[in-house]
Amino acid sequence: MLGNLTLILLCQLIGETITKVTKLPIPGPVIGMVILFCGLFFSKKMPAELESVAGFLHRYLPLLFVPAGVGVITNLDLMLHSWAPLAGAIIIGTAITVAVTGLVMQMANRRQKPDQQELQP
Amino acid sequence: MNGDITQLWVYLSTSPLLWLTVTLLAYQLGVWVFQRFGFSPILNPVLTAVLVLVILLKLTGTEYQAYFKGAQFIHFLLGPATVALAIPLYREVATIRKTFVPILISLVVGSLAAILSAVGIAWALGGERLLLLTLAPKSVTTPIAMGIAEQIGGLPALTAVAVVLTGITGVVIGDLVLNWVRVHDETARGMAFGVASHGIGTAHAMQKSRVSGAFSALAMALNGLLTALLLPALLSLLR
């Protein structure tokens, strides 16, 4: 358990270091995720303990966003000042993005499937 | 008596324990309300917890910095949790390989839809240029979005707020919208949550299904990279 938690933190540490050194606009944890993924991909092994650490972290994933969400409090005045474009862009814009992405993925999936069946004898 | 209470408050409010505990309580209250009233999407636990905490901070006159001293222990876990998204991603690697082309197409179209809808709607509703630049990267995970906002001349602090609100909005309306446009494919639902509402959407997709969660994590990471490349280029075209 401890070894696998350390492994995750180590990937993050390497990721953060790469971000700092290269000044890439990519957050350290995202690079850490790529590193861990490559490790799993090339070793072709999935330690059971690693799965249980990930399971624990992901069971409460929504909770982890609460402290950042409370950060809304620091910009309340600015938000009230331009509430209409903010609310419009966030609510309607998000609805459009969800619908467009989902529809395009579903359509592209359906188009691709007949091709794949042709490839298989 | 009153002095004792004041002294107790002074002690508690400066220790990280108070707001750490209150954050956990607020989230559990949110989960309880969500389950008690029939899992209605508007009663999203994150939304409830944030509202309760904002009201409590306002009522007690607590600064966000003081609150964050306690809440940072929860916030810290976001990093390792993001790294650990490699695990569901690895589990679905066969499905991802099979749908590689659809992933790329929906990623590019979805990423453009996120940027253009945010900027277009804010402009139509009278938003100033500064606000448009602030809102453009709103569908991307917070650290990338703040970096982009700084680069293109928006307000990173307000971008962070817009990102969180976009995430919560995606979770609240996402399933309704996807059911309405009849998207039932689990990989497509995952992509939609990841592109539109980053990590908060991924957290939601993960709780619905393993496949959706993995695709959402992938979409979140790729959309972050793509927007960071696309948005500055798009803006230099407009100038």
Side-chain angles (χ1 to χ4, degrees), chain A residues 27 51 58 67 106 109 112, chain B residues 64 81 91 98 144 184-185 187:
Chain A
E51 286 211 88
H58 292 157
Q106 186 165 268
N109 256 340
Q112 201 195 31
Chain B
Y64 181 66
R91 273 200 229 108
K98 249 185 277 170
I144 301 187
H184 300 298
D185 185 332
T187 63

Side-chain angles (χ1 to χ4, degrees), chain B:
Chain B
M1 182 68 200
N2 235 332
D4 287 353
I5 292 175
T6 312
Q7 263 189 348
L8 182 66
W9 172 248
V10 167
Y11 166 70
L12 281 178
S13 61
T14 50
S15 116
L17 181 64
L18 176 70
W19 291 112
L20 176 62
T21 313
V22 175
T23 303
L24 289 174
L25 285 172
Y27 181 70
Q28 282 170 84
L29 173 75
V31 172
W32 181 81
V33 168
F34 184 58
Q35 290 170 344
R36 176 72 182 74
F37 298 99
F39 300 92
S40 163
I42 194 75
L43 298 175
N44 178 267
V46 177
L47 186 60
T48 310
V50 168
L51 278 177
V52 167
L53 286 163
V54 165
I55 293 169
L56 282 177
L57 292 184
K58 281 278 172 204
L59 286 179
T60 56
T62 306
E63 292 282 328
Y64 181 66
Q65 283 83 344
Y67 163 77
F68 200 75
K69 265 190 198 141
Q72 64 175 326
F73 299 104
I74 296 170
H75 183 77
F76 173 78
L77 290 174
L78 258 182
T82 305
V83 174
L85 286 173
I87 289 133
L89 219 55
Y90 175 70
R91 273 200 229 108
E92 302 303 327
V93 75
T95 325
I96 291 168
R97 269 184 167 171
K98 249 185 277 170
T99 51
F100 194 65
V101 176
I103 289 172
L104 284 188
I105 298 172
S106 61
L107 173 73
V108 173
V109 177
S111 189
L112 281 172
I115 297 168
L116 296 177
S117 65
V119 174
I121 292 165
W123 174 78
L125 293 173
E128 301 143 32
R129 188 186 152 78
L130 183 65
L131 191 70
L132 305 189
L133 293 174
T134 299
L135 281 171
K138 71 165 181 45
S139 280
V140 174
T141 184
T142 312
I144 301 187
M146 288 177 79
I148 297 174
E150 206 178 321
Q151 196 189 346
I152 64 176
L155 296 169
L158 189 58
T159 298
V161 172
V163 167
V164 171
L165 293 176
T166 299
I168 294 174
T169 305
V171 169
V172 170
I173 64 171
D175 286 308
L176 294 174
V177 171
L178 288 168
N179 291 342
W180 187 60
V181 297
R182 299 208 187 98
V183 171
H184 300 298
D185 185 332
E186 279 189 21
T187 63
R189 292 179 81 97
M191 284 299 293
F193 277 111
V195 169
S197 41
H198 52 91
I200 301 183
T202 302
H204 174 75
M206 193 83 81
Q207 292 186 327
K208 293 254 159 167
S209 94
R210 244 168 70 161
V211 175
S212 285
F215 273 76
S216 187
L218 182 70
M220 172 191 80
L222 292 177
N223 190 33
L225 303 181
L226 185 67
T227 309
L229 297 171
L230 207 62
L231 198 50
L234 214 62
L235 281 171
S236 63
L237 272 181
L238 290 175
R239 258 175 215 147

Side-chain angles (χ1 to χ4, degrees), chain A residues 14 21 24 26-27 29-30 33 41 48 57 64-65 81 89 91 93-94:
Chain A
I14 298 169
V21 172
L24 283 173
I26 306 163
V30 172
M33 173 174 85
F41 189 79
L57 285 170
L64 310 188
F65 290 98
H81 172 70
I91 296 170
T94 304

